């Protein structure tokens, strides 16, 4: 029986909020602070502090005798823990405060022994028979001890081994608050002087958001992750935080349009210059590293929309020799298809709007890496704002639980459709890392485990002919973005580059007949039939 069930059965319980609960950040000064109670009563300080419980229950006289045999067995140890928590909260400042171990013994002694009938029932139905596995039951307390795949990690990381929100709910609650309170001024001072971990203000962090961040960190193998309001927010704040005034960055010819605009028009106002190279031109990278004091190499891999791939391991080696950082935007790859940090990158960035959330219903962006670098970005983020809403963080958590299933389907569909398109007489060129014709196919095979769900291709025709093909499609939506359950198609010359002339678009390689197709999780045969019939219409 859960505590909440006990509360309904016995209305004489008095429940109150624990003012010492400050938002769910694990207390670094409390052993096992993030752990949830199991049926074993603990005498450690995590029990004393109520395991960060948001409720303290005051039990009425003769409470235990009012319980049924089974209810008593299941709740007694929780009762001990809650009694100790109440004792700590109410009396820790008094001179006759009962130490933790003594409080546990006293509370346990208050529970009368089982009579013969109850003891017999306990043997027939042991207390552990219907309880769930908790953190104390898991060997080593590490994901790697019992989760062997990214798919399982995407589901359980940040949640299964305890989160900073005490609840028996399988799903993580949404904490909608703009600020957090402190029980007393000394707690606030402890927080300010970094003796106590807590939240303070909604722009600086949120318990729901932390769960999403920990889940992404586990997938990327990162020390920490910072989640922000959008992918562009993550990109711009990262660049502003890590590149000093007068600094120099290296980026690639093929990248997201708004990132290009920021690098070309906003950063120069701060004296920050950039060199743009082909994604595969290692010689050009070596030249600029030798000629200039490069602060950062930043690119997507694969890139958008031509899905070019950067040799992350080699680029990282060359940049690190010259003291430059490497940040890879892995949005198109996802953490399942590519581990940029393991390949040597310092930071990996994602538009969580795309594959991580995966349902075309939320905006978000994140940056993952070592504590030192991410903390630098976080400091500026707290100043600039752009905090993600906790409801959006919840949707990202929800979406990541099916990430591995969606990516497997999207990888498979994109690969098979790319092969069909390449053989079709009305298709001039296909851009997909999984095809041997792709310029970085061998590299992609070496550093990726899957090639993603986006395929770009050029049809045989002009702007209007290409638009006719797009309009003939019945399944995909004509829209920006990618990575969701629904297939999406767009004509970059119109969707992203319409403000430029045809000749200006061509400088970026954006021809009028270019199509970017993001495959969702619809049936392969349905998508194949739809694309083939649309090609027949032109």
């Amino acid at each position: 029986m859960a505590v909440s069930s006990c509360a309904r059965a016995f209305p004489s319980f008095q429940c109150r909020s624990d003012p010492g609960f400050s938002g769910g950040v694990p207390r670094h000064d409390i052993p096992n602070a993030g752990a949830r109670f199991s049926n074993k009563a603990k005498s450690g300080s995590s029990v004393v502090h109520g395991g960060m419980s948001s409720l303290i229950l005051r039990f009425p006289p003769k409470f235990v005798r009012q319980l049924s045999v089974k209810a008593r067995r299941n709740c007694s140890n929780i009762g001990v823990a809650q009694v100790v928590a109440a004792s700590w909260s109410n009396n820790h400042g008094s001179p006759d405060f009962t130490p933790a171990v003594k409080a546990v013994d006293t509370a346990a002694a208050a529970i009368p022994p089982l009579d013969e009938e109850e003891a017999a029932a306990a043997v027939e139905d042991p207390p552990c028979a219907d309880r769930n596995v908790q953190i104390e039951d898991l060997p080593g307390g590490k994901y790697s001890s019992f989760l062997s795949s990214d798919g399982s990690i995407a589901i359980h990381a940040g949640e299964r081994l305890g989160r900073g929100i005490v609840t028996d709910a399988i799903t993580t609650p949404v904490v909608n608050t703009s600020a957090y309170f402190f029980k007393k001024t000394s707690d606030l001072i402890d927080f300010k002087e970094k003796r106590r971990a807590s939240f303070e203000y909604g722009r600086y962090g949120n318990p729901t958001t932390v769960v999403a961040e920990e889940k992404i960190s586990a997938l990327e193998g990162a020390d920490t992750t910072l989640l922000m309001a959008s992918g562009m927010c993550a990109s711009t704040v990262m660049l502003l935080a890590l590149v000093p005034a007068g600094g120099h960055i290296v980026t690639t010819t093929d990248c997201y349009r708004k990132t290009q605009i920021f690098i070309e028009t906003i950063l120069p106002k701060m004296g920050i210059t950039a060199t743009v190279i082909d994604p595969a031109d290692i010689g050009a990278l070596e030249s600029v590293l030798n000629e200039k004091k490069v602060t950062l190499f930043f690119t997507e891999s694969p890139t958008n929309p031509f899905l070019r791939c950067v040799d992350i391991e080699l680029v990282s080696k060359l940049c690190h020799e010259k003291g430059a950082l490497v940040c890879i935007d892995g949005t198109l790859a996802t953490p399942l298809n590519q581990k940029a940090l393991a390949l040597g990158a310092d930071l990996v960035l994602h538009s969580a709007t795309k594959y991580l959330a995966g349902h075309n219903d939320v905006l978000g962006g994140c940056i993952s890496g070592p504590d030192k670098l991410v903390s630098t970005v976080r400091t500026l983020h707290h100043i600039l704002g752009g905090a993600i809403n906790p409801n959006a963080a919840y949707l990202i958590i929800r979406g990541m639980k099916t990430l591995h299933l969606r990516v497997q389907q999207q990888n498979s569909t994109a690969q098979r459709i790319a092969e069909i398109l390449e053989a079709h007489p009305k298709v001039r060129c296909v851009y997909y890392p999984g095809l041997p014709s792709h310029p970085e196919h061998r590299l992609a095979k070496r550093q990726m485990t899957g090639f993603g769900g986006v395929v770009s291709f050029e049809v045989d025709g002009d702007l209007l002919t290409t638009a006719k093909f797009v309009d003939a499609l019945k399944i995909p939506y004509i829209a920006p973005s990618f990575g969701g359950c629904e297939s999406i198609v767009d004509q970059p010359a119109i969707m992203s580059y319409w403000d430029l002339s045809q000749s200006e678009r061509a400088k970026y390689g954006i021809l009028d007949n270019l199509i970017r197709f993001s495959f969702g999780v619809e049936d392969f045969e349905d998508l194949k039939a739809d694309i083939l019939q649309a090609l027949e219409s032109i």
Side-chain angles (χ1 to χ4, degrees):
M1 178 180 289
V3 176
S4 56
S5 300
C6 294
R8 288 194 296 271
F10 297 92
S12 55
F13 280 8
Q14 297 177 23
C15 301
R16 65 179 177 81
S17 297
D18 177 6
F21 176 65
S22 56
V25 174
R27 292 274 300 276
H28 299 304
D29 57 327
I30 304 175
N32 300 321
R36 295 166 53 193
F37 287 119
S38 71
N39 279 26
K40 294 188 220 174
K42 287 191 174 279
S43 60
S45 57
S46 61
V47 174
V48 172
H49 286 70
M52 298 193 70
S53 175
S54 59
L55 290 179
I56 290 179
L57 307 181
R58 296 179 182 274
F59 298 91
K62 300 180 181 179
F63 150 69
V64 175
R65 292 185 177 83
Q66 295 176 351
L67 296 176
S68 66
V69 173
K70 186 171 183 179
R72 174 182 174 176
R73 287 199 310 270
N74 289 338
C75 289
S76 61
N77 288 331
I78 298 174
V80 171
Q82 295 287 16
V83 167
V84 175
S87 174
W88 168 264
S89 176
N90 297 331
N91 301 313
H92 72 280
S94 64
D96 58 345
F97 167 64
T98 303
V101 175
K102 184 176 179 181
V104 171
D105 293 340
T106 302
I111 302 175
L114 294 173
D115 58 30
E116 292 183 4
E117 179 184 353
E118 293 171 333
V123 172
E124 294 172 5
D125 185 15
C128 62
D130 52 6
R131 72 181 177 89
N132 293 324
V133 176
Q134 301 296 332
I135 184 170
E136 291 87 353
D137 304 304
L138 300 173
K142 302 290 185 182
Y143 299 121
S144 59
S145 67
F146 68 106
L147 300 179
S148 60
S149 72
D150 283 344
S152 298
I153 289 173
I155 294 169
H156 293 296
E159 299 178 282
R160 189 66 184 88
L161 294 187
R163 53 197 156 202
I165 309 171
V166 177
T167 175
D168 287 328
I170 291 175
T171 56
T172 294
V174 180
V175 180
N176 280 315
T177 186
S178 59
Y180 306 84
F181 69 90
F182 294 84
K183 182 180 178 181
K184 53 188 181 296
T185 301
S186 61
D187 289 345
L188 173 58
I189 294 172
D190 285 345
F191 165 71
K192 291 294 185 180
E193 296 185 354
K194 304 187 185 305
R195 291 188 296 270
R196 170 190 176 121
S198 180
F199 292 107
E200 178 184 9
Y201 187 58
R203 194 171 76 246
Y204 306 151
N206 177 279
T208 308
T209 302
V210 167
V211 170
E213 291 172 338
E214 290 180 353
K215 196 177 289 290
I216 296 166
S217 291
L219 275 182
E220 288 288 6
D223 290 345
T224 188
T225 292
L226 173 61
L227 196 57
M228 292 182 250
S230 70
M232 273 307 299
C233 181
S235 297
T236 56
V237 175
M238 182 276 297
L239 288 166
L240 292 173
L242 298 181
V243 184
H248 192 82
I249 66 173
V250 179
T251 187
T252 56
T253 50
D254 187 32
C255 73
Y256 179 53
R257 176 82 193 285
K258 292 300 188 290
T259 304
Q260 289 176 342
I261 292 173
F262 184 78
I263 291 173
E264 293 173 357
T265 65
I266 305 300
L267 291 184
K269 296 179 181 178
M270 303 169 193
I272 298 173
T273 55
T275 297
V276 182
I277 64 173
D278 184 271
D281 195 343
I282 297 299
L285 175 61
E286 290 178 312
S287 295
V288 69
L289 286 171
N290 289 327
E291 295 170 5
K292 298 179 181 294
K293 178 62 176 176
V294 176
T295 305
L296 175 72
F297 177 89
F298 176 49
T299 187
E300 303 159 15
S301 186
T303 60
N304 181 14
F306 293 108
L307 306 168
R308 300 290 304 278
C309 297
V310 172
D311 190 332
I312 300 172
E313 187 173 14
L314 179 56
V315 164
S316 298
K317 178 179 179 294
L318 294 173
C319 288
H320 292 161
E321 288 174 352
K322 295 294 185 178
L325 298 172
V326 174
C327 179
I328 299 295
D329 183 335
T331 302
L332 277 151
T334 79
L336 301 187
N337 286 333
Q338 178 178 275
K339 304 290 188 186
L341 298 180
L343 290 167
D346 298 289
L347 296 165
V348 61
L349 184 147
H350 290 276
S351 170
T353 305
K354 313 302 193 295
Y355 288 101
L356 295 185
H359 289 75
N360 290 318
D361 60 1
V362 63
L363 294 177
C366 62
I367 186 162
S368 305
D371 284 316
K372 183 177 181 180
L373 288 177
V374 176
S375 294
T376 301
V377 180
R378 183 179 282 111
T379 298
L380 181 60
H381 167 61
H382 289 172
I383 296 170
L384 296 180
I388 192 167
N389 186 282
N391 295 279
Y394 170 82
L395 289 175
I396 292 170
I397 295 168
R398 186 278 320 264
M400 288 185 67
K401 300 197 179 196
T402 59
L403 177 64
H404 64 297
L405 300 175
R406 291 184 281 104
V407 169
Q408 287 171 10
Q409 174 77 1
Q410 290 162 320
N411 284 347
S412 174
T413 298
Q415 179 71 43
R416 297 165 72 185
I417 294 292
E419 292 169 358
I420 291 170
L421 288 170
E422 192 169 47
H424 199 283
K426 292 187 178 180
V427 175
R428 290 182 183 174
C429 184
V430 181
Y431 305 96
Y432 187 68
L435 295 176
S437 59
H438 190 276
E440 287 87 48
H441 174 63
R442 289 185 179 180
L443 170 62
K445 285 179 66 178
R446 188 171 77 241
Q447 68 183 21
M448 300 180 73
T449 56
F451 304 113
V454 173
V455 177
S456 295
F457 56 98
E458 296 169 4
V459 299
D460 188 9
D462 57 11
L463 184 77
L464 295 180
T465 301
T466 307
K468 183 178 180 181
F469 163 77
V470 170
D471 291 343
L473 292 165
K474 295 180 173 60
I475 293 177
Y477 291 92
I478 303 173
S481 198
F482 56 86
C485 291
E486 300 86 0
S487 289
I488 284 177
V489 66
D490 79 77
Q491 192 173 351
I494 298 175
M495 182 67 71
S496 303
Y497 291 84
W498 192 242
D499 58 313
L500 301 180
S501 67
Q502 187 180 48
S503 61
E504 290 173 324
R505 294 196 295 265
K507 293 178 183 178
Y508 295 100
I510 305 298
L511 303 181
D512 291 343
N513 60 346
L514 179 65
I515 299 291
R516 189 185 70 177
F517 203 118
S518 170
F519 290 97
V521 296
E522 300 94 347
D523 182 77
F524 165 75
E525 293 296 338
D526 288 340
L527 288 165
K528 173 185 172 183
D530 191 28
I531 289 172
L532 291 178
Q533 67 82 24
L535 286 170
E536 290 303 314
S537 72
I538 61 175

